[in-house]
Amino acid sequence: NKLFEIRFLRVSVVFVLVTALAILIAGLIRPVLVPFIVAFVLYGLLDPIRRSMTRLGIPRTPAILVLLLLVILFGFLTGGFLIPKLAKQFAQLQNQLPQLWSGLTQLSNSLEAILANYGLSVDTSALTKPVINQVSTLGKSALVASSNALLSLTSNSLLVPIFAFFLLRDFHSFRNKLLDTLPNSKFELGWIIYDKVAKQLQSYVGGILLQSTIMALVTTVGFAILGIQNPFLLGFIAGVLNLIPYVGPVLATIPPTIIALGITPISPILILSGIAVIIVGQVIDNLVTIPIVLAQSVALHPLIVMIGIIVFGNFFGLLGMVVAIPVISTGNIVFRGLHQGLGES
């Protein structure tokens, strides 16, 4: 027991120091943290292709430039198609907000009349008005925040290719020099931990991007077929929220439900159909993406995932909820690796 306590204490001290250093670095680069994370994702996706091109005899720098030019071209084509549609539907949704709240008010009055027929006197307006006002305020704030985030992402996107270029060109050299600073007795442990973290993050990032893309496509098509307004916007929101495990799909059902409630006369079938679109997307996701891509990428208990999402979301907002799982998973690997390596030593 004494041996275990000493080992656990030593591992905990080292892990806390490593975590504190990571938090310090994240704080120092906070103004460019988002484009750096996006650039790192690009690095994880493009580096295997770059290595294959290098093995075929293409020099490193030209291979990187070709890959980044293709990514930039794809970004321009995709952005040129999506951003105008999203911006237009953002504006439409802002103009539709009064109509939506009016529809919800009518629903409240209808519910009050139905209850009155059964001899129940309930002032539903007193109950729903504060809720509607609160939802209205949150909805407008969310739209403004989303617009600002879109503008910020557009401006920060100029930094992404620059960061990605230097990561693709110099990260391996920097990694080797950093690991070479470890003492000989810890050199192998450092490589083992790095290798596990790199493989797991690469698997998780690729899987979660595929997951969100499938969700966005399925829901966009589904909302368009149902005739729900702003299908591109709702599908985009569903895809982004799908980056958040467990919580995201539940949140994704709220926007189409509110929009369907605002359509008069209210159609319960349309509301249920909008929710069914999200469920169908989740079924496809759970049958295809998770078993094939994400099954072995993270091994975390659902309770830990939920707590991590809540805590990270409280401190860092939507970005924190998105990065909670890879951060916790990385911490889990590092701690286990330290415990094994330092324990053996």
Side-chain angles (χ1 to χ4, degrees):
N1 288 337
K2 282 187 176 182
L3 179 63
F4 177 78
E5 289 171 4
I6 294 171
R7 181 174 69 179
F8 187 80
L9 178 62
R10 184 170 59 216
V11 171
S12 299
V13 170
V14 175
F15 181 76
V16 168
L17 291 175
V18 172
T19 304
L21 179 62
I23 293 173
L24 177 62
I25 294 173
L28 291 175
I29 65 171
R30 184 174 182 178
V32 292
L33 186 59
V34 173
F36 185 78
I37 291 175
V38 176
F40 223 101
V41 170
L42 276 179
Y43 163 79
L45 297 175
L46 297 179
D47 191 56
I49 304 175
R50 194 275 308 163
R51 290 201 300 268
S52 299
M53 295 174 70
T54 303
R55 284 195 292 268
L56 292 174
I58 303 174
R60 177 188 293 261
T61 300
I64 293 171
L65 291 175
V66 168
L67 288 174
L68 289 179
L69 285 174
L70 290 175
V71 169
I72 292 171
L73 178 61
F74 176 77
F76 271 117
L77 293 176
T78 306
F81 173 75
L82 287 180
I83 291 177
K85 287 185 176 296
L86 291 175
K88 181 180 178 180
Q89 294 192 3
F90 260 122
Q92 289 176 348
L93 186 57
Q94 285 178 314
N95 294 331
Q96 291 167 358
L97 284 178
Q99 178 185 348
L100 294 177
W101 308 139
S102 175
L104 292 176
T105 302
Q106 292 180 19
L107 175 64
S108 171
N109 295 334
S110 300
L111 180 61
E112 184 177 343
I114 293 172
L115 293 175
N117 291 334
Y118 290 94
L120 298 174
S121 178
V122 179
D123 187 4
T124 56
S125 61
L127 299 174
T128 58
K129 189 174 181 180
V131 176
I132 291 174
N133 290 337
Q134 185 66 24
V135 171
S136 176
T137 303
L138 291 175
K140 291 176 181 178
S141 300
L143 288 174
V144 172
S146 301
S147 301
N148 293 337
L150 196 59
L151 291 174
S152 176
L153 182 62
T154 304
S155 60
N156 286 333
S157 63
L158 300 175
L159 297 173
V160 171
I162 299 173
F163 291 164
F165 173 80
F166 287 108
L167 285 172
L168 287 165
R169 193 189 70 174
D170 301 325
F171 179 74
H172 282 218
S173 175
F174 174 76
R175 175 204 63 190
N176 294 342
K177 290 179 181 178
L178 184 63
L179 290 173
D180 285 342
T181 62
L182 296 173
N184 291 335
S185 60
K186 303 295 184 292
F187 182 76
E188 184 179 359
L189 172 63
W191 268 103
I192 291 173
I193 292 175
Y194 166 77
D195 185 62
K196 287 182 178 179
V197 169
K199 287 180 178 178
Q200 182 159 301
L201 286 180
Q202 193 170 35
S203 174
Y204 180 80
V205 168
I208 201 70
L209 289 177
L210 177 62
Q211 211 180 5
S212 295
T213 302
I214 291 174
M215 175 60 72
L217 291 174
V218 170
T219 51
T220 298
V221 172
F223 293 143
I225 292 174
L226 292 175
I228 296 178
Q229 297 169 318
N230 309 312
F232 276 101
L233 178 59
L234 294 177
F236 177 78
I237 292 172
V240 171
L241 290 175
N242 204 60
L243 293 170
I244 307 170
Y246 302 114
V247 179
V250 177
L251 296 176
T253 62
I254 297 175
T257 301
I258 291 177
I259 290 178
L261 284 172
I263 298 175
T264 51
I266 293 173
S267 172
I269 295 178
L270 185 61
I271 297 170
L272 295 175
S273 300
I275 297 174
V277 168
I278 303 291
I279 295 174
V280 169
Q282 280 297 303
V283 169
I284 295 174
D285 179 33
N286 283 278
L287 291 177
V288 179
T289 315
I290 291 178
I292 296 175
V293 182
L294 290 176
Q296 302 299 325
S297 61
V298 291
L300 297 174
H301 193 278
L303 181 60
I304 295 176
V305 172
M306 292 293 293
I307 293 174
I309 290 171
I310 293 171
V311 172
F312 276 71
N314 184 55
F315 283 102
F316 306 107
L318 179 61
L319 178 63
M321 299 174 77
V322 171
V323 303
I325 305 310
V327 169
I328 295 172
S329 180
T330 300
N332 181 42
I333 293 175
V334 172
F335 186 84
R336 288 175 178 270
L338 289 173
H339 192 272
Q340 180 181 356
L342 295 181
E344 291 173 354
S345 64

